[in-house]
Amino acid sequence: MEVADLKILFFDVGGILLSNGWGHEAREEAAKRFNLDYDEVNALHNFIFNVYEIGSITLDEYLDTVIFNHPRDFVREDFKDFIYSTSVELPMLQFLKEWKKDCGFRIISVNNEGKELNDYRVRKFKLHECFDAFVSSCEVKMRKPDPGIWQLAMGIAQASPQQCVYFDDRKMFVDTAQKLGIRSFQHTSLESTKKILETLKKENLKK
């Protein structure tokens, strides 16, 4: 690979820049707060959440199946507010916003997220300050680890695999991207990813 040909950075969002949008920790907390049967909720979630993430159903339809399949002593809007409130910023976000200003790369999000959560997180955390484009599962009707989502991202970027670098906190997704020829790194800490990015920036400046 010619390092000088690097053009595009692909980044996951949940687990790197923000907490996961509706991860198991948040569902456990919801079960405690709203007096839910966690095992039941989790089983139904696992059946249908992928369908939500590819945009085939709305958040309300997801909740109809997973939460409001029984009479509840709380209202839908309170539960949705709780879901949104579980999204929190991680330290990497502010670093990437600053780093992007003079990094010389285009940065594109490649993430699995349901539409309402995705839209909320983009607005709330001003993710346009990080990303030049969003390849989100809810919009493109594919989700990682489908190789097609990276192939679509490369098509949008008009870049070859050798011109891209991908970051994800999940090894399975890193491995899938690598099989497509994309140089990929597993995010494990702010410091380790910062070092990789600074190295990429120095390589890019050698052009």
Side-chain angles (χ1 to χ4, degrees):
M1 181 183 71
E2 290 293 330
V3 172
D5 284 340
L6 286 173
K7 290 182 177 180
I8 306 294
L9 302 183
F10 295 136
F11 259 87
D12 184 32
V13 176
I16 301 182
L17 306 180
L18 304 176
S19 61
N20 288 313
W22 183 228
H24 68 89
E25 299 96 339
R27 296 195 304 278
E28 288 173 354
E29 179 61 29
K32 294 175 185 175
R33 181 172 301 196
F34 294 94
N35 194 27
L36 303 171
D37 179 337
Y38 174 75
D39 290 337
E40 179 192 11
V41 166
N42 205 46
L44 293 170
H45 167 90
N46 289 335
F47 276 123
I48 201 169
F49 195 62
N50 292 356
V51 182
Y52 173 55
E53 283 196 322
I54 61 170
S56 294
I57 61 173
T58 66
L59 179 58
D60 279 322
E61 290 169 323
Y62 162 84
L63 291 175
D64 286 342
T65 297
V66 178
I67 304 298
F68 295 99
N69 55 337
H70 302 306
R72 301 296 186 186
D73 59 1
F74 53 88
V75 298
R76 182 181 299 262
E77 289 308 311
D78 286 347
F79 196 85
K80 288 165 73 171
D81 287 345
F82 175 80
I83 290 176
Y84 294 134
S85 75
T86 63
S87 289
V88 297
E89 179 179 328
L90 300 179
M92 188 74 204
L93 179 60
Q94 288 304 318
F95 170 80
L96 190 62
K97 285 182 178 181
E98 289 300 314
W99 187 83
K100 185 184 188 301
K101 292 177 181 178
D102 63 353
C103 70
F105 292 100
R106 296 293 184 186
I107 305 179
I108 296 175
S109 163
V110 180
N111 69 308
N112 291 346
E113 197 77 87
K115 182 167 177 58
E116 292 88 345
L117 277 168
N118 194 62
D119 292 353
Y120 169 80
R121 283 151 69 90
V122 171
R123 292 193 308 269
K124 170 71 174 178
F125 298 100
K126 300 180 180 177
L127 298 187
H128 283 101
E129 294 177 14
C130 289
F131 296 117
D132 298 290
F134 297 85
V135 180
S136 301
S137 62
C138 58
E139 302 291 357
V140 302
K141 310 302 182 185
M142 291 181 284
R143 65 187 298 277
K144 300 179 291 186
D146 185 336
I149 196 169
W150 287 278
Q151 291 163 342
L152 178 63
M154 288 187 285
I156 290 169
Q158 285 297 292
S160 68
Q162 295 76 22
Q163 293 171 313
C164 302
V165 177
Y166 177 62
F167 293 86
D168 202 299
D169 63 313
R170 298 190 183 187
K171 187 176 186 300
M172 178 175 66
F173 297 159
V174 170
D175 291 345
T176 304
Q178 285 178 335
K179 289 176 183 176
L180 296 172
I182 301 170
R183 186 178 175 189
S184 303
F185 297 94
Q186 184 178 12
H187 171 82
T188 57
S189 70
L190 172 63
E191 288 306 317
S192 62
T193 298
K194 280 172 63 174
K195 288 178 183 178
I196 295 167
L197 288 172
E198 289 297 342
T199 298
L200 292 173
K201 184 176 176 180
K202 288 175 184 178
E203 292 172 351
N204 196 45
L205 290 174
K206 292 178 182 178
K207 291 181 182 180

